[in-house]
Amino acid sequence: MPKVAILIYSVDDTIARLAENEKKGIEIAGGKAEIFQVPDVSSSSSDKEQDDDEGKVRKTNADFSYKILTRETLVEHDYYLFGIPVKFGNFPVAWKTFWDSNTGGLWAKGSLHGKMAGLFVSGAISGKGDTEMCIMNAMSTLVHHGIIYVPLGYKNAYKELTNTDDVNGSCAWGAGCVSGVDGDRPPSASELKVHQLQGRAFYDRIKDL
């Protein structure tokens, strides 16, 4: 059975909820997956003040029951779904720090070459520009490691992706969620469904490889 890792960074419950639905989709398709959390990065005092000004309490690894992502996790699994909370159309610092600090040796040895990955995201506003840009920017990291990208596309979620009566942060690049500027909008039923559909489609794609 393919070993699938769902790798996330979540400062609140949003990405974690999306990950659980991706996992559910994989299970519906007959597979199994485990969720791992990107290691925390210590914030500077200026970052902490900004968080306080916004009235947010950011969650840490201790607030989740998931195992912590390590470089060994990447080596031991052949298939990944990356969950990314969008920061200015890119990885947040914790994700970028993990890639930069832990995977240089893996890149040099080609340890991740040929592995396959899909991505799902959460962004503050609708319109999909920032979330699509985040996934596009993530391509640079995947390409340098030789990781094969598996997009969501329209085939399995056409109805949800083309419905103009409901806000849905998903796109052809990957499932998504509009979390609101303050991060207080929970994923909609439609958005959660697309994450299940992505998990299912991803596993259907890899199960016979």
Side-chain angles (χ1 to χ4, degrees), residues 20-56:
E20 292 290 350
N21 278 269
E22 296 273 348
K23 181 180 179 182
K24 186 178 295 184
I26 290 172
E27 292 170 347
I28 291 172
K32 293 183 179 180
E34 187 170 5
I35 301 173
F36 295 84
Q37 174 85 349
V38 172
D40 291 327
V41 175
S42 298
S43 298
S44 66
S45 59
S46 60
D47 289 338
K48 185 62 170 63
E49 290 173 1
Q50 182 67 29
D51 291 345
D52 289 343
D53 289 341
E54 294 174 355
K56 297 179 181 178

Short mmCIF file of all heavy atoms in Angstrom, two decimals, residues 20-56:
data_model
loop_
_atom_site.label_atom_id
_atom_site.label_comp_id
_atom_site.label_asym_id
_atom_site.label_seq_id
_atom_site.Cartn_x
_atom_site.Cartn_y
_atom_site.Cartn_z
N GLU A 20 -7.49 16.83 7.62
CA GLU A 20 -8.30 15.70 8.04
C GLU A 20 -9.26 15.27 6.93
O GLU A 20 -9.55 14.08 6.76
CB GLU A 20 -9.08 16.04 9.31
CG GLU A 20 -8.22 16.22 10.55
CD GLU A 20 -7.62 14.90 11.06
OE1 GLU A 20 -8.02 13.83 10.57
OE2 GLU A 20 -6.75 14.96 11.95
N ASN A 21 -9.74 16.23 6.15
CA ASN A 21 -10.63 15.89 5.04
C ASN A 21 -9.87 15.31 3.86
O ASN A 21 -10.39 14.44 3.15
CB ASN A 21 -11.45 17.12 4.63
CG ASN A 21 -12.65 17.32 5.53
OD1 ASN A 21 -13.74 16.82 5.26
ND2 ASN A 21 -12.46 18.03 6.63
N GLU A 22 -8.64 15.77 3.64
CA GLU A 22 -7.80 15.13 2.63
C GLU A 22 -7.57 13.67 3.02
O GLU A 22 -7.65 12.76 2.18
CB GLU A 22 -6.46 15.87 2.52
CG GLU A 22 -6.55 17.31 2.04
CD GLU A 22 -6.54 17.44 0.52
OE1 GLU A 22 -6.23 16.44 -0.17
OE2 GLU A 22 -6.82 18.55 0.02
N LYS A 23 -7.29 13.45 4.29
CA LYS A 23 -7.07 12.10 4.80
C LYS A 23 -8.32 11.24 4.63
O LYS A 23 -8.24 10.07 4.23
CB LYS A 23 -6.66 12.16 6.27
CG LYS A 23 -6.39 10.81 6.90
CD LYS A 23 -5.98 10.97 8.37
CE LYS A 23 -5.74 9.61 9.01
NZ LYS A 23 -5.38 9.75 10.45
N LYS A 24 -9.48 11.82 4.91
CA LYS A 24 -10.74 11.09 4.75
C LYS A 24 -10.94 10.68 3.30
O LYS A 24 -11.41 9.56 3.02
CB LYS A 24 -11.90 11.95 5.22
CG LYS A 24 -13.25 11.23 5.24
CD LYS A 24 -14.35 12.14 5.75
CE LYS A 24 -14.14 12.52 7.20
NZ LYS A 24 -15.27 13.33 7.73
N GLY A 25 -10.61 11.58 2.37
CA GLY A 25 -10.73 11.24 0.96
C GLY A 25 -9.84 10.08 0.57
O GLY A 25 -10.25 9.20 -0.21
N ILE A 26 -8.62 10.05 1.11
CA ILE A 26 -7.70 8.94 0.85
C ILE A 26 -8.28 7.64 1.39
O ILE A 26 -8.23 6.58 0.73
CB ILE A 26 -6.33 9.23 1.47
CG1 ILE A 26 -5.63 10.36 0.70
CG2 ILE A 26 -5.45 7.98 1.49
CD1 ILE A 26 -4.36 10.86 1.34
N GLU A 27 -8.86 7.71 2.58
CA GLU A 27 -9.45 6.51 3.19
C GLU A 27 -10.66 6.02 2.40
O GLU A 27 -10.87 4.81 2.26
CB GLU A 27 -9.82 6.81 4.64
CG GLU A 27 -8.61 7.04 5.52
CD GLU A 27 -8.95 7.58 6.90
OE1 GLU A 27 -10.11 8.00 7.10
OE2 GLU A 27 -8.06 7.58 7.77
N ILE A 28 -11.46 6.94 1.86
CA ILE A 28 -12.60 6.56 1.02
C ILE A 28 -12.12 5.79 -0.21
O ILE A 28 -12.78 4.86 -0.68
CB ILE A 28 -13.40 7.81 0.60
CG1 ILE A 28 -14.12 8.41 1.82
CG2 ILE A 28 -14.41 7.47 -0.49
CD1 ILE A 28 -14.79 9.74 1.55
N ALA A 29 -10.95 6.19 -0.70
CA ALA A 29 -10.38 5.53 -1.89
C ALA A 29 -9.70 4.21 -1.54
O ALA A 29 -9.20 3.52 -2.44
CB ALA A 29 -9.40 6.47 -2.58
N GLY A 30 -9.67 3.87 -0.26
CA GLY A 30 -9.09 2.60 0.16
C GLY A 30 -7.67 2.69 0.66
O GLY A 30 -7.02 1.65 0.89
N GLY A 31 -7.16 3.90 0.86
CA GLY A 31 -5.79 4.06 1.30
C GLY A 31 -5.66 4.51 2.74
O GLY A 31 -6.65 4.62 3.48
N LYS A 32 -4.44 4.78 3.14
CA LYS A 32 -4.15 5.29 4.48
C LYS A 32 -3.16 6.44 4.36
O LYS A 32 -2.37 6.50 3.42
CB LYS A 32 -3.55 4.19 5.37
CG LYS A 32 -4.51 3.06 5.71
CD LYS A 32 -3.84 2.06 6.65
CE LYS A 32 -4.79 0.93 7.02
NZ LYS A 32 -4.15 -0.05 7.93
N ALA A 33 -3.22 7.35 5.31
CA ALA A 33 -2.29 8.48 5.33
C ALA A 33 -2.08 8.91 6.77
O ALA A 33 -2.95 8.70 7.63
CB ALA A 33 -2.82 9.64 4.51
N GLU A 34 -0.93 9.51 7.03
CA GLU A 34 -0.64 10.06 8.36
C GLU A 34 -0.31 11.54 8.21
O GLU A 34 0.34 11.95 7.25
CB GLU A 34 0.53 9.32 9.00
CG GLU A 34 0.78 9.74 10.45
CD GLU A 34 1.77 8.85 11.18
OE1 GLU A 34 2.35 7.95 10.53
OE2 GLU A 34 1.98 9.06 12.39
N ILE A 35 -0.80 12.33 9.17
CA ILE A 35 -0.58 13.77 9.14
C ILE A 35 0.62 14.13 10.01
O ILE A 35 0.73 13.66 11.15
CB ILE A 35 -1.83 14.52 9.63
CG1 ILE A 35 -3.04 14.18 8.73
CG2 ILE A 35 -1.59 16.04 9.64
CD1 ILE A 35 -4.35 14.75 9.23
N PHE A 36 1.50 14.97 9.49
CA PHE A 36 2.67 15.46 10.22
C PHE A 36 2.65 16.98 10.24
O PHE A 36 2.22 17.62 9.28
CB PHE A 36 3.96 14.98 9.55
CG PHE A 36 4.17 13.49 9.57
CD1 PHE A 36 3.58 12.69 8.60
CD2 PHE A 36 4.95 12.89 10.54
CE1 PHE A 36 3.76 11.31 8.59
CE2 PHE A 36 5.14 11.52 10.55
CZ PHE A 36 4.54 10.72 9.57
N GLN A 37 3.15 17.56 11.33
CA GLN A 37 3.15 19.00 11.52
C GLN A 37 4.56 19.56 11.34
O GLN A 37 5.53 19.03 11.89
CB GLN A 37 2.64 19.34 12.92
CG GLN A 37 2.71 20.79 13.31
CD GLN A 37 1.51 21.60 12.84
OE1 GLN A 37 0.71 21.13 12.04
NE2 GLN A 37 1.39 22.80 13.35
N VAL A 38 4.69 20.62 10.55
CA VAL A 38 5.97 21.29 10.37
C VAL A 38 6.45 21.85 11.71
O VAL A 38 5.66 22.40 12.48
CB VAL A 38 5.84 22.44 9.34
CG1 VAL A 38 7.11 23.27 9.28
CG2 VAL A 38 5.51 21.88 7.97
N PRO A 39 7.74 21.72 12.03
CA PRO A 39 8.25 22.23 13.32
C PRO A 39 8.01 23.72 13.48
O PRO A 39 8.05 24.49 12.51
CB PRO A 39 9.75 21.93 13.25
CG PRO A 39 9.89 20.85 12.24
CD PRO A 39 8.80 21.06 11.23
N ASP A 40 7.75 24.12 14.72
CA ASP A 40 7.58 25.54 15.03
C ASP A 40 8.88 26.30 14.79
O ASP A 40 9.97 25.74 14.88
CB ASP A 40 7.18 25.73 16.50
CG ASP A 40 5.78 25.23 16.79
OD1 ASP A 40 4.92 25.31 15.91
OD2 ASP A 40 5.55 24.75 17.92
N VAL A 41 8.75 27.58 14.52
CA VAL A 41 9.88 28.49 14.42
C VAL A 41 9.66 29.60 15.43
O VAL A 41 8.57 30.18 15.50
CB VAL A 41 10.00 29.09 13.00
CG1 VAL A 41 11.11 30.14 12.96
CG2 VAL A 41 10.27 28.01 11.99
N SER A 42 10.66 29.88 16.24
CA SER A 42 10.52 30.93 17.24
C SER A 42 10.31 32.27 16.58
O SER A 42 11.04 32.64 15.65
CB SER A 42 11.78 30.99 18.13
OG SER A 42 11.95 29.77 18.82
N SER A 43 9.31 33.02 17.07
CA SER A 43 9.02 34.34 16.51
C SER A 43 9.90 35.38 17.17
O SER A 43 10.28 35.27 18.33
CB SER A 43 7.55 34.70 16.76
OG SER A 43 6.69 33.78 16.12
N SER A 44 10.21 36.43 16.40
CA SER A 44 10.94 37.56 16.96
C SER A 44 9.98 38.39 17.81
O SER A 44 8.77 38.24 17.74
CB SER A 44 11.52 38.42 15.85
OG SER A 44 10.48 39.04 15.11
N SER A 45 10.52 39.30 18.62
CA SER A 45 9.67 40.14 19.45
C SER A 45 8.75 41.00 18.61
O SER A 45 7.60 41.25 18.97
CB SER A 45 10.55 41.02 20.36
OG SER A 45 11.41 41.83 19.57
N SER A 46 9.23 41.46 17.45
CA SER A 46 8.40 42.31 16.60
C SER A 46 7.23 41.50 16.04
O SER A 46 6.12 42.00 15.94
CB SER A 46 9.22 42.90 15.46
OG SER A 46 9.78 41.87 14.66
N ASP A 47 7.49 40.23 15.69
CA ASP A 47 6.42 39.37 15.21
C ASP A 47 5.39 39.16 16.30
O ASP A 47 4.19 39.17 16.05
CB ASP A 47 6.97 38.01 14.77
CG ASP A 47 7.78 38.10 13.49
OD1 ASP A 47 7.56 39.07 12.76
OD2 ASP A 47 8.61 37.21 13.24
N LYS A 48 5.84 38.96 17.54
CA LYS A 48 4.94 38.71 18.65
C LYS A 48 4.06 39.92 18.89
O LYS A 48 2.85 39.78 19.13
CB LYS A 48 5.74 38.38 19.92
CG LYS A 48 4.88 37.98 21.12
CD LYS A 48 4.09 36.71 20.84
CE LYS A 48 3.42 36.18 22.10
NZ LYS A 48 2.44 37.08 22.64
N GLU A 49 4.63 41.10 18.82
CA GLU A 49 3.84 42.31 19.01
C GLU A 49 2.77 42.43 17.94
O GLU A 49 1.64 42.82 18.22
CB GLU A 49 4.77 43.53 18.99
CG GLU A 49 5.69 43.62 20.21
CD GLU A 49 6.70 44.74 20.05
OE1 GLU A 49 6.65 45.43 19.02
OE2 GLU A 49 7.54 44.92 20.94
N GLN A 50 3.14 42.10 16.71
CA GLN A 50 2.18 42.18 15.63
C GLN A 50 1.03 41.21 15.87
O GLN A 50 -0.13 41.54 15.66
CB GLN A 50 2.85 41.86 14.29
CG GLN A 50 1.93 41.97 13.08
CD GLN A 50 1.48 43.38 12.81
OE1 GLN A 50 2.18 44.34 13.12
NE2 GLN A 50 0.30 43.53 12.26
N ASP A 51 1.36 40.01 16.33
CA ASP A 51 0.32 39.02 16.61
C ASP A 51 -0.61 39.53 17.69
O ASP A 51 -1.84 39.40 17.62
CB ASP A 51 0.93 37.70 17.04
CG ASP A 51 1.66 37.01 15.90
OD1 ASP A 51 1.45 37.41 14.74
OD2 ASP A 51 2.44 36.09 16.18
N ASP A 52 -0.04 40.16 18.74
CA ASP A 52 -0.86 40.68 19.83
C ASP A 52 -1.75 41.81 19.35
O ASP A 52 -2.90 41.93 19.75
CB ASP A 52 0.05 41.18 20.97
CG ASP A 52 0.72 40.02 21.70
OD1 ASP A 52 0.26 38.86 21.54
OD2 ASP A 52 1.70 40.28 22.40
N ASP A 53 -1.21 42.68 18.48
CA ASP A 53 -1.99 43.80 17.96
C ASP A 53 -3.20 43.29 17.18
O ASP A 53 -4.26 43.90 17.18
CB ASP A 53 -1.13 44.69 17.04
CG ASP A 53 -0.10 45.48 17.83
OD1 ASP A 53 -0.28 45.61 19.05
OD2 ASP A 53 0.88 45.95 17.21
N GLU A 54 -3.03 42.15 16.50
CA GLU A 54 -4.11 41.59 15.71
C GLU A 54 -5.08 40.78 16.56
O GLU A 54 -6.11 40.32 16.08
CB GLU A 54 -3.54 40.70 14.60
CG GLU A 54 -2.73 41.48 13.57
CD GLU A 54 -2.05 40.56 12.57
OE1 GLU A 54 -2.14 39.33 12.75
OE2 GLU A 54 -1.44 41.07 11.63
N GLY A 55 -4.74 40.62 17.84
CA GLY A 55 -5.62 39.87 18.72
C GLY A 55 -5.62 38.38 18.47
O GLY A 55 -6.57 37.69 18.84
N LYS A 56 -4.58 37.85 17.84
CA LYS A 56 -4.52 36.43 17.52
C LYS A 56 -3.67 35.67 18.52
O LYS A 56 -2.69 36.19 19.04
CB LYS A 56 -3.92 36.23 16.12
CG LYS A 56 -4.73 36.84 14.99
CD LYS A 56 -4.03 36.61 13.67
CE LYS A 56 -4.79 37.23 12.50
NZ LYS A 56 -4.08 37.05 11.22
#
